[in-house]
Amino acid sequence: MDARNVVQTSYQQSIDVLESQVEKSFILKSGYQDIYTPDEKIRTIIVENFPELGRLTALRFLEWVQHNPNGVISLPTGKTPEYFIQWVTRYLSGWMDADVQDELVAVGIDPQEKPDMKGLHFVQMDEFYPIDSNQHNSFCNYVRKYYIEGFGLDQNKALLIDCNEVGLKNGESIKDVWLNGVVDLNLWNREPTSKQEERQKLMLLDVNRWCLTYEEKIKQLGGIGFFLGGIGPDGHVAFNIRGSSHHSITRLLETNYETQAAAAGDLGGIEVSGRLPVITIGLKTITRNSDCTAIIMAAGEAKSPMVSNAVCHNADTLYPATALHALKNSVFYVTCGSAKLLSQRNMAAVKQLKNVPANDLEKAIIDLSLAKGKTIQNLDTQDFEHDPIFSYIIHQIPEYNFDLLKKKTIRSLTQKIENGIADHSGLSFLHTEPHHDDIMLGYQPALTKDLHDSGSSHAFATLTSGFTAVTNHCLRERVGQVQEFIFRKKFKPLKTKDEEIFQYLSGLALKKNRMVKSAEAARFLRCLMEIFETEEMDVLEKKTQWIIHYLNQRYPGQKDEKEIQLLKGMMREWEAETLWGAFGVLSRDVHHLRLGFYKGDIFTEEPTASRDIPPIIDLLRQVKPNILTVALDPEASGPDTHYKVLQAIAEAIRQMQDNQEYIPNKVWGYRNVWYRFHPSEADLFFPVSLDELASMHSLFLDMFVTQKTASFPSYEHKGPFSELAQQIQSDQYQKIRTCLGDDWFRKHPNPRIRSSCAMIYLKEMNIEAFLSQAREIKKHVENR
């Protein structure tokens, strides 16, 4: 519910006492108080989206530095601070520019006093151990690149967790102590069984002493004065995982599955992040300085449970961020999505509205039905009166007819299902995805009926290469297949791509693994020929030997050279072609755009008009779809590639619209394992049967070979993404089943509805609605 343009005069005096003019400005803009007692135990400020979250944190940081030029700061690593870093860099580099000066004045920052970064002391908050600090994906390297060099901090005033210096003797390397990078923390409690283990146990003692010394150095600085962190999937702050003592200090510890899964992308797979412990500052390290300004930033609905637990629970080791309740200057900066479970804010938003929008009423009735475990039809007056939102509506707007609202909501839900099973014959679809399995995990079972309808046409397009999702191990295996089946004269290459796909699918059907592997080898050979521009087998065989040598020299997660990126990307393209080939789609209708902004860097650059938009326009001209599908992230808080692909598609449509060219009639927005629709947000409900649900999982394991071992899993599920997609779609069905009742489904005349056990939600938009939504997010990014 939106109260962004409403300022509550009742809390004007409460924000006047705040020291931060920046926070005052953003609180007034949000239309919410900064804390709602008694439920909330810590101040919280809401912004609209992820880029705006970065702007708020950047401005608050610069304001703090103005007042604490010699202060002690601790800033986060990873993708979470992307926009924070970009905004700080923009403000510092353009401090005297007129637009920057105006912006500073607007939020209460003195524009004449540019913050002096050289006086600051920096404290690195965490690091995986042991990791070579020279690796590009080490947190230590990140700090040096983006904070010390990027912000102009003084290297001599930085406390870094440099594993190359922690506990090592002269001339000794990490690899000398920790063979294969494996650390056995059980050595704390058992006797060594070899000379190597004796050295390792001594090393653990040295690391422990180093941690205590590190803690003492922070204490001597007076403690941390400005702490900015994210919140992990288990609620962790720094690497203080769920269950950490609020009195914990800097230490070496093992992480949990959620933390390992979240870090897998940075470290080259959970095979790496799952076996490495971490060095982290403790919760007491953060809160020791009672004047510390401690900010936790969170974006996206996926973070809403963690935010709610941290903000509303009493101090509890199950929720690490509750340790920050002890600090008077602690605050959460969150997006609307991540604040969705802060119930008093939802109530506050309702009170600002003269008329509650129909969508919000529908959401409230669905939520009430789910909370009570009753069908909407069976909700009674007492249910409404005991619900805070409806209780308010009853007393303030007595003319509301709740029986009528129930009927409207039931009619809306049933219509969405009818829309989902409608006949789409005669329509042309262009299905787009940022990565090669986004469509499968988002809505593939909903396509089964239409893909087998000869009256409709379907084209598929993956917009990025997606090479970062392929491990070195997967590539090494594929090279081995080529060496075995091609260069040892055991197999003759096939002539066309569709022949390769047909053989692969036939091998799966016949359960003949040799056919499957030889088809993979044939396609990989085709990729080698394309990349190295030769059909000479001797030359190609030497190239495969070079690839193996290359991989043996790389550390997990290291950025690859262009040829290797292409090969890994082509492995993913093959997977997409085999998936849609299983439904009879020819390879010519499966497009790979490989947009240039996707380069495998920590922070993905923005799409450019000259490089990334023309390929999309060309494809739209070629396919001329009636319906275009897009991955929809309304806050730009999910994987950043999703947001950037959405913006590229929107820009392509704008340009075609300006040129009065043909554009799609409708856009279908979908979500997958990273974020979900509330039933009130979606317009199309697709019933999914048990066989379709099982088929999706089976196809994922058969086609997406590089992903089935879950090297880059979701923190929500220990297993392949397809299992999580099954769970999500089943849960979505259960929600509608609760709202409408078993009889509605079991007695429905349509067998597709009767057989359903899962549900897929999509949002249908006209072109103007889609462009407007994309533009609303983009405007907060363009000026950074």
Side-chain angles (χ1 to χ4, degrees):
M1 310 218 178
D2 191 355
R4 292 172 295 180
N5 299 319
V6 181
V7 178
Q8 297 178 344
T9 57
S10 62
Y11 69 89
Q12 181 65 53
Q13 290 183 342
S14 69
I15 67 170
D16 283 343
V17 302
L18 291 176
E19 293 182 2
S20 170
Q21 297 300 317
V22 169
E23 289 187 355
K24 288 182 186 179
S25 172
F26 277 81
I27 291 168
L28 289 171
K29 181 181 178 182
S30 75
Y32 293 99
Q33 297 172 204
D34 63 333
I35 190 166
Y36 287 82
T37 56
D39 287 1
E40 297 180 6
K41 310 300 191 297
I42 191 170
R43 295 189 307 113
T44 303
I45 301 175
I46 297 177
V47 297
E48 294 179 4
N49 52 55
F50 192 29
E52 186 74 348
L53 185 64
R55 191 171 79 93
L56 166 58
T57 52
L59 289 167
R60 178 66 184 106
F61 171 67
L62 293 171
E63 179 187 44
W64 186 89
V65 175
Q66 279 189 337
H67 294 94
N68 302 271
N70 299 307
V72 181
I73 63 172
S74 188
L75 305 176
T77 54
K79 291 186 179 295
T80 299
E82 174 181 5
Y83 290 108
F84 164 74
I85 291 170
Q86 292 184 7
W87 280 110
V88 170
T89 303
R90 173 180 179 262
Y91 290 134
L92 290 176
S93 62
W95 190 267
M96 298 310 297
D97 294 347
D99 58 336
V100 172
Q101 290 274 297
D102 290 343
E103 193 172 342
L104 296 172
V105 170
V107 297
I109 293 179
D110 183 355
Q112 302 305 313
E113 184 185 347
K114 183 178 178 180
D116 180 11
M117 296 290 167
K118 290 295 184 183
L120 296 173
H121 296 265
F122 187 93
V123 173
Q124 183 179 338
M125 66 178 71
D126 50 29
E127 178 66 278
F128 277 90
Y129 178 84
I131 188 170
D132 186 338
S133 61
N134 295 314
Q135 290 184 195
H136 89 285
N137 56 352
S138 76
F139 295 164
C140 187
N141 183 69
Y142 184 109
V143 167
R144 289 185 176 124
K145 180 177 181 179
Y146 293 106
Y147 293 137
I148 295 176
E149 180 182 342
F151 287 7
L153 304 178
D154 186 345
Q155 168 77 37
N156 296 321
K157 294 181 179 178
L159 293 181
L160 302 181
I161 305 175
D162 186 341
C163 295
N164 292 341
E165 299 179 358
V166 177
L168 292 173
K169 300 176 181 178
N170 288 336
E172 192 176 45
S173 71
I174 292 173
K175 293 181 180 179
D176 293 333
V177 179
W178 305 110
L179 304 179
N180 302 318
V182 177
V183 179
D184 182 6
L185 293 187
N186 289 324
L187 277 170
W188 284 118
N189 304 309
R190 68 173 176 82
E191 289 299 315
T193 60
S194 66
K195 289 288 185 182
Q196 189 68 37
E197 285 196 346
E198 287 178 6
R199 174 66 189 103
Q200 290 173 348
K201 185 159 188 173
L202 289 174
M203 185 63 162
L204 289 178
L205 294 172
D206 287 338
V207 171
N208 185 52
R209 282 191 287 267
W210 185 93
C211 290
L212 293 174
T213 301
Y214 193 79
E215 182 76 20
E216 185 61 30
K217 288 178 180 178
I218 299 171
K219 189 186 300 184
Q220 289 173 1
L221 289 172
I224 296 170
F226 184 94
F227 177 87
L228 174 63
I231 187 165
D234 67 329
H236 71 244
V237 176
F239 272 133
N240 294 283
I241 59 174
R242 182 180 52 247
S244 293
S245 168
H246 290 186
H247 298 284
S248 56
I249 59 174
T250 304
R251 65 207 186 279
L252 178 70
L253 77 157
E254 289 184 322
T255 57
N256 52 21
Y257 172 75
E258 297 98 318
T259 302
Q260 294 161 9
D266 295 325
L267 296 181
I270 199 166
E271 300 88 351
V272 181
S273 61
R275 60 178 170 79
L276 291 181
V278 296
I279 294 175
T280 182
I281 62 174
L283 293 171
K284 187 62 179 179
T285 316
I286 300 170
T287 61
R288 177 174 282 108
N289 178 359
S290 60
D291 292 324
C292 175
T293 295
I295 299 170
I296 300 297
M297 56 193 300
E301 291 185 9
K303 290 294 178 73
S304 59
M306 302 78 158
V307 169
S308 177
N309 289 333
V311 170
C312 298
H313 266 278
N314 292 323
D316 192 322
T317 56
L318 286 177
Y319 311 111
T322 57
L324 303 183
H325 294 182
L327 294 173
K328 63 179 183 295
N329 294 325
S330 58
V331 60
F332 269 66
Y333 292 171
V334 301
T335 63
C336 297
S338 56
K340 66 174 291 187
L341 297 182
L342 300 179
S343 58
Q344 283 190 275
R345 291 174 185 267
N346 295 333
M347 190 69 245
V350 170
K351 291 180 178 180
Q352 299 304 320
L353 301 170
K354 293 182 180 179
N355 294 298
V356 183
N359 249 27
D360 290 341
L361 282 173
E362 181 175 311
K363 178 181 183 300
I365 290 179
I366 291 171
D367 288 344
L368 183 59
S369 170
L370 297 177
K372 297 294 182 181
K374 300 168 66 172
T375 66
I376 293 173
Q377 183 62 47
N378 288 336
L379 292 174
D380 54 33
T381 303
Q382 192 174 36
D383 293 324
F384 285 107
E385 289 177 345
H386 290 173
D387 180 80
I389 290 178
F390 287 111
S391 176
Y392 176 81
I393 292 174
I394 289 169
H395 291 96
Q396 299 297 319
I397 317 173
E399 65 270 19
Y400 266 108
N401 184 317
F402 292 105
D403 284 335
L404 181 59
L405 283 176
K406 289 196 300 183
K407 290 178 181 178
K408 284 184 176 180
T409 304
I410 293 171
R411 187 161 59 246
S412 173
L413 293 178
T414 56
Q415 185 60 53
K416 291 175 181 183
I417 298 174
E418 296 294 334
N419 292 343
I421 63 173
D423 182 14
H424 300 124
S425 185
L427 296 177
S428 171
F429 289 81
L430 175 57
H431 306 273
T432 71
E433 57 187 351
H435 308 98
H436 299 78
D437 52 6
D438 283 328
I439 292 173
M440 161 157 266
L441 297 172
Y443 66 100
Q444 177 265 311
L447 295 178
T448 302
K449 170 178 172 289
D450 290 326
L451 285 172
H452 292 154
D453 175 16
S454 60
S456 61
S457 63
H458 298 264
F460 297 85
T462 307
L463 276 75
T464 73
S465 178
F467 53 81
T468 58
V470 179
T471 64
N472 290 346
H473 174 73
C474 288
L475 177 56
R476 188 180 286 107
E477 282 192 337
R478 197 61 52 88
V479 171
Q481 288 172 204
V482 172
Q483 291 175 336
E484 177 182 356
F485 286 97
I486 307 295
F487 300 135
R488 295 178 188 173
K489 314 301 181 185
K490 292 185 177 181
F491 176 77
K492 187 176 181 180
L494 298 168
K495 293 181 180 180
T496 68
K497 289 184 175 182
D498 287 320
E499 284 180 341
E500 294 160 356
I501 294 168
F502 181 76
Q503 177 169 312
Y504 184 82
L505 298 174
S506 297
L508 288 174
L510 294 169
K511 298 188 183 303
K512 292 187 175 181
N513 192 55
R514 181 176 176 76
M515 285 181 67
V516 171
K517 297 302 181 184
S518 62
E520 287 178 333
R523 171 54 65 89
F524 195 75
L525 178 66
R526 184 185 298 276
C527 297
L528 291 172
M529 290 177 176
E530 179 180 331
I531 290 172
F532 297 112
E533 299 179 342
T534 181
E535 295 183 6
E536 295 292 330
M537 289 297 179
D538 290 344
V539 175
L540 293 171
E541 186 170 9
K542 289 179 181 177
K543 290 296 183 182
T544 60
Q545 294 168 357
W546 169 80
I547 293 170
I548 294 297
H549 176 75
Y550 169 90
L551 294 175
N552 290 338
Q553 308 305 311
R554 312 295 283 182
Y555 58 79
Q558 186 172 3
K559 184 177 178 180
D560 284 314
E561 295 182 8
K562 184 176 180 180
E563 291 87 353
I564 303 300
Q565 289 181 349
L566 280 170
L567 273 174
K568 288 183 174 181
M570 286 176 164
M571 290 172 65
R572 300 227 66 198
E573 291 168 3
W574 159 254
E575 293 174 336
E577 289 181 27
T578 57
L579 169 64
W580 304 121
F583 292 94
V585 178
L586 297 175
S587 60
R588 70 188 182 202
D589 293 319
V590 183
H591 305 271
H592 314 294
L593 299 195
R594 305 178 190 171
L595 296 187
F597 75 85
Y598 186 89
K599 296 179 178 178
D601 296 323
I602 293 176
F603 300 140
T604 305
E605 64 183 63
E606 296 293 325
T608 64
S610 61
R611 179 192 60 201
D612 299 310
I613 308 306
I616 302 174
I617 292 176
D618 290 342
L619 183 60
L620 287 166
R621 287 171 177 164
Q622 175 185 336
V623 177
K624 290 184 170 54
N626 304 113
I627 296 176
L628 175 72
T629 72
V630 298
L632 192 64
D633 175 13
E635 284 190 354
S637 58
D640 60 351
T641 307
H642 287 212
Y643 159 70
K644 288 162 184 172
V645 163
L646 181 145
Q647 291 299 337
I649 292 173
E651 180 57 30
I653 292 175
R654 286 191 201 99
Q655 290 187 21
M656 296 180 74
Q657 193 177 50
D658 291 342
N659 294 330
Q660 298 184 333
E661 296 185 68
Y662 174 86
I663 56 175
N665 300 322
K666 293 178 181 177
V667 173
W668 285 1
Y670 65 92
R671 298 180 182 175
N672 50 33
V673 297
W674 300 111
Y675 25 69
R676 299 99 200 241
F677 286 117
H678 187 277
S680 64
E681 296 178 291
D683 307 286
L684 303 169
F685 292 173
F686 291 84
V688 176
S689 63
L690 182 62
D691 63 307
E692 291 168 332
L693 200 64
S695 175
M696 182 264 292
H697 174 56
S698 177
L699 285 171
F700 184 87
L701 296 182
D702 284 337
M703 308 307 173
F704 290 97
V705 177
T706 65
Q707 307 304 303
K708 70 178 182 180
T709 55
S711 289
F712 306 100
S714 166
Y715 61 80
E716 293 183 76
H717 177 73
K718 196 171 186 177
F721 280 119
S722 52
E723 290 179 348
L724 179 57
Q726 284 181 316
Q727 177 185 316
I728 292 168
Q729 292 165 17
S730 297
D731 289 346
Q732 290 177 165
Y733 167 78
Q734 293 300 328
K735 286 183 171 69
I736 307 305
R737 178 186 174 193
T738 299
C739 290
L740 297 180
D742 283 343
D743 284 351
W744 189 91
F745 284 92
R746 300 300 163 231
K747 296 179 180 180
H748 199 281
N750 191 315
R752 187 162 183 80
I753 293 176
R754 289 200 305 273
S755 66
S756 60
C757 66
M759 195 78 74
I760 288 170
Y761 302 160
L762 299 181
K763 183 175 180 62
E764 185 174 76
M765 298 166 280
N766 61 34
I767 287 296
E768 289 307 321
F770 168 68
L771 295 179
S772 175
Q773 182 162 325
R775 190 180 298 112
E776 184 66 21
I777 303 172
K778 188 179 180 182
K779 75 179 184 181
H780 295 286
V781 183
E782 288 180 325
N783 297 323
R784 72 182 186 279

